[in-house]
Amino acid sequence: MPSHTVVPGRSGNAIRHVMIVGGGTAGWMAAAALARLTGNGVTHVTVVESEAIGTVGVGEATIPPIASFNAMLGIDETDFMRSTHSSFKLGIEFVDWGRQGDRYMHPFGPFGVDMEGVKFHHYWRMAHAGGAPEPLGDYSLCIAAARRNRMALPSNDPQTVLSSLKHAYHFDAGLYAAYLRHHAERNGIVGIEGRIVDVALRGDDGFVEAIRLDDGRRIEADLFVDCSGFRGLIIEQALKAGYEDWSHWLPCDRALAVPSASVGPLTPYTRATADRAGWRWRIPLQHRTGNGYVYSSRHISDDGARDALLAGLDGEPLAEPRALRFSTGRRKQQWVKNCVSLGLSSGFLEPLESTSIHLIQSGISKLLALFPDRSFDPLMIAEYNRLSQTQFEQIRDFIILHYKATQRDDTLFWNQVRTMDIPETLSRKIELFRSSGRVFRYDDELFSEASWTAVMLGQGVMPGTWDPLVDAINPHALARKLAGLRNIIACTAEAMPTHEAFIARYCAAG
Ligand code: FAD
């Protein structure tokens, strides 16, 4: 046992040293957020990373809550976007998912306006059944702007349609980690370079005591935050948390990533194009485009995936494609004893809805909300694990929906995912929506009713009917209201500057 000097603190039992293991996106996000702990004069935080091992560094597309993470750190949006070569993201365009030739958008903002406590899409459904041909997307400002390559900042006035604009970012993940590192170090976080070769556990209770580096240094800490990537250096290799494998639902297990030269207009959305044995991403940044093919190695060879990826690029490739392997799933216990895992070490759902960086952010918020002292109350640990399990499973279901709700039968891959058994939680959601358009959010679920609606309708799950409360509205009055909404959304989008012009004015890099 190390000798513990009792220091003044809430109970004299405060955490004195937090060691973050890993300096990828997860490690530096955690460091930047935990820097605030150092203000108590007791706790210090270090980050250990190994340049020789490197980082995954391909997380480039995000979802809107990242803006609140940056704001919590006091980061200015313009400065951050300039430094990370960011572009704006208003949603994701899905190509060829429901059927080949289909195209739909999952926007970040809502559809239309809810009326009389009823979700807007029920009114749309009734009008649609009456012959109105306009797609639900015509009632989303995010979609209207994205389709026109336009961008503006949202308004704070809830009375205006501009308040329905919600955005996230596409950024260079390496630059984001460097940006956060700078921020964290300015706030007292210490970075240590070295490869961890051993993890020492305490003999009496199996808690992590120290790590040993390849140069022989031994460093002790009270709390370890495992951000070591897929290997799960502490949480799995030392503490054997166990992994719940979800590859029977999410069979993609490899990816190839390649940057390409920017061509054409700078689109304010990510594109996800379904392919023979998975899907390809396209993420436009200010200085280049990020591309990748996420695929199932049982359904396509690496060479086949490479050819499909390169054939689908808009511009010249700027490097050789980089290969990544993974198993979709989650660590069974994401917090074990005195180790909390964040990022890829805690699990990985594939990048289809850009949720990994969000899961890091959400793990950090939970850790701060349940920040322990050296007694490591098992109730706090259990609560953390319960909350993370719920969140991972909810996001898992949303991602599986994209595969399950397809009508494609052109390859073995699509036949497999179309006909697979799915979690009961998801089949209940699909059936409820199919029968009556109802969708409910449980336990602070990440994806909103609008998100579920966008993907279900986009992939051909059409509600059989609508909320009966909608029947009270006069169909002519509804038609007039809908036409007015479409008009104001289209006019507002038309009046916005192009995404490119907006970035040039607001946050142009270098
Ligand atoms: P890593 O980047 O792997 O970092 C691990 C760190 O641990 C490194 O610093 C490494 O040096 C260190 N380390 C490991 N072992 C040792 C050791 N023995 N000694 C010392 N240091 C060690 N997320 C999104 O939100 N949006 C996306 O669009 C997106 N796209 C993705 C596409 C693909 C194909 C993949 C695989 C992931 C994607 N992600 C995406 C996820 C995203 O990349 C990760 O969530 C994010 O990069 C965090 O990674 P990490 O920091 O957990 O791990």
Side-chain angles (χ1 to χ4, degrees), residues 105-127:
M105 187 81 79
H106 167 197
F108 289 140
F111 291 106
V113 276
D114 300 344
M115 293 179 269
E116 310 285 340
V118 179
K119 292 284 164 201
F120 175 79
H121 70 268
H122 290 278
Y123 293 93
W124 169 83
R125 178 68 187 98
M126 185 171 93

Side-chain angles (χ1 to χ4, degrees), residues 272-331:
T273 305
D275 209 309
R276 239 175 75 200
W279 60 280
R280 288 177 285 115
W281 79 74
R282 179 187 176 280
I283 298 178
L285 308 184
Q286 288 190 36
H287 59 310
R288 62 166 170 81
T289 303
N291 311 273
Y293 189 176
V294 178
Y295 59 98
S296 157
S297 61
R298 283 192 295 125
H299 296 90
I300 193 171
S301 67
D302 295 337
D303 285 346
R306 185 179 187 281
D307 292 347
L309 172 63
L310 294 177
L313 298 184
D314 296 342
E316 283 297 300
L318 300 175
E320 263 303 297
R322 194 170 149 222
L324 297 137
R325 293 179 177 209
F326 52 85
S327 304
T328 50
R330 62 177 279 276
R331 214 54 80 195

Side-chain angles (χ1 to χ4, degrees), residues 395-414:
I395 295 175
R396 173 203 68 191
D397 283 3
F398 188 58
I399 296 177
I400 297 173
L401 170 68
H402 299 66
Y403 289 103
K404 178 69 182 174
T406 185
Q407 294 148 59
R408 285 186 65 152
D409 57 3
D410 52 304
T411 65
L412 286 175
F413 175 82
W414 289 104

Side-chain angles (χ1 to χ4, degrees), residues 22-26 50 53-56 59 61 194 196 227-228 231 255 344 351 356-357:
T25 312
S50 160
I53 293 175
T55 65
V56 163
I196 297 170
C227 299
S228 63
R231 52 180 59 76
L344 298 172
S356 295
I357 291 174

Side-chain angles (χ1 to χ4, degrees), residues 127-454:
H128 189 261
E134 294 83 10
L136 184 65
D138 283 9
Y139 302 93
S140 155
L141 183 58
C142 284
I143 294 181
R147 293 263 178 246
R148 293 168 173 82
N149 288 326
R150 305 294 173 112
M151 184 61 208
L153 289 182
S155 158
N156 289 328
D157 177 0
Q159 298 305 316
T160 73
V161 69
L162 257 183
S163 66
S164 68
L165 206 61
K166 284 204 165 41
H167 68 262
Y169 317 102
H170 304 118
F171 55 58
D172 182 318
L175 293 178
Y176 186 52
Y179 187 82
L180 291 179
R181 175 193 195 121
H182 185 64
H183 184 277
E185 287 180 340
R186 251 194 349 240
N187 288 293
I189 304 293
V190 177
I192 299 173
E193 167 61 32
R195 191 162 67 84
I196 297 170
V197 290
D198 191 32
V199 178
L201 303 185
R202 287 199 310 237
D204 52 351
D205 57 9
F207 274 49
V208 185
E209 188 173 64
I211 51 115
R212 196 162 53 77
L213 298 179
D214 52 354
D215 62 6
R217 270 179 294 173
R218 184 180 193 277
I219 310 174
E220 293 182 1
D222 300 317
L223 173 65
F224 293 80
V225 184
D226 186 343
C227 299
S228 63
F230 288 127
R231 52 180 59 76
L233 194 67
I234 300 187
I235 195 79
E236 190 60 51
Q237 293 183 15
L239 295 174
K240 315 281 182 233
Y243 198 72
E244 194 175 336
D245 190 314
W246 286 337
S247 54
H248 49 295
W249 289 316
L250 297 170
C252 291
D253 58 353
R254 291 191 190 175
L256 287 168
V258 68
S260 67
S262 307
V263 286
L266 186 63
T267 51
Y269 55 88
T270 303
R271 180 175 300 143
T273 305
D275 209 309
R276 239 175 75 200
W279 60 280
R280 288 177 285 115
W281 79 74
R282 179 187 176 280
I283 298 178
L285 308 184
Q286 288 190 36
H287 59 310
R288 62 166 170 81
T289 303
N291 311 273
Y293 189 176
V294 178
Y295 59 98
S296 157
S297 61
R298 283 192 295 125
H299 296 90
I300 193 171
S301 67
D302 295 337
D303 285 346
R306 185 179 187 281
D307 292 347
L309 172 63
L310 294 177
L313 298 184
D314 296 342
E316 283 297 300
L318 300 175
E320 263 303 297
R322 194 170 149 222
L324 297 137
R325 293 179 177 209
F326 52 85
S327 304
T328 50
R330 62 177 279 276
R331 214 54 80 195
K332 284 183 182 156
Q333 301 291 313
Q334 295 177 329
W335 181 339
V336 177
K337 300 183 192 283
N338 58 339
C339 172
V340 180
S341 57
L342 293 175
L344 298 172
S345 72
S346 68
F348 183 55
L349 297 163
E350 56 148 287
L352 187 57
E353 283 282 352
S354 327
T355 46
S356 295
I357 291 174
H358 177 76
L359 283 165
I360 300 170
Q361 167 183 352
S362 151
I364 293 169
S365 305
K366 286 195 280 287
L367 175 57
L368 286 171
L370 289 163
F371 201 76
D373 61 22
R374 276 182 284 143
S375 64
F376 288 97
D377 183 348
L379 286 175
M380 308 258 226
I381 298 177
E383 187 63 5
Y384 183 96
N385 284 325
R386 192 189 67 76
L387 292 168
S388 343
Q389 177 178 353
T390 305
Q391 189 172 38
F392 264 71
E393 288 175 353
Q394 288 171 337
I395 295 175
R396 173 203 68 191
D397 283 3
F398 188 58
I399 296 177
I400 297 173
L401 170 68
H402 299 66
Y403 289 103
K404 178 69 182 174
T406 185
Q407 294 148 59
R408 285 186 65 152
D409 57 3
D410 52 304
T411 65
L412 286 175
F413 175 82
W414 289 104
N415 272 330
Q416 177 181 318
V417 294
R418 183 173 47 77
T419 56
M420 68 186 167
D421 288 335
I422 53 173
E424 190 271 331
T425 38
L426 175 59
S427 52
R428 219 174 345 113
K429 225 160 181 155
I430 296 176
E431 289 322 313
L432 185 65
F433 188 83
R434 202 194 298 280
S435 81
S436 64
R438 265 46 173 252
V439 53
F440 293 95
R441 237 171 148 172
Y442 308 105
D443 284 338
D444 275 341
E445 186 171 344
L446 175 62
F447 287 104
S448 65
E449 290 91 341
S451 291
W452 283 93
T453 301

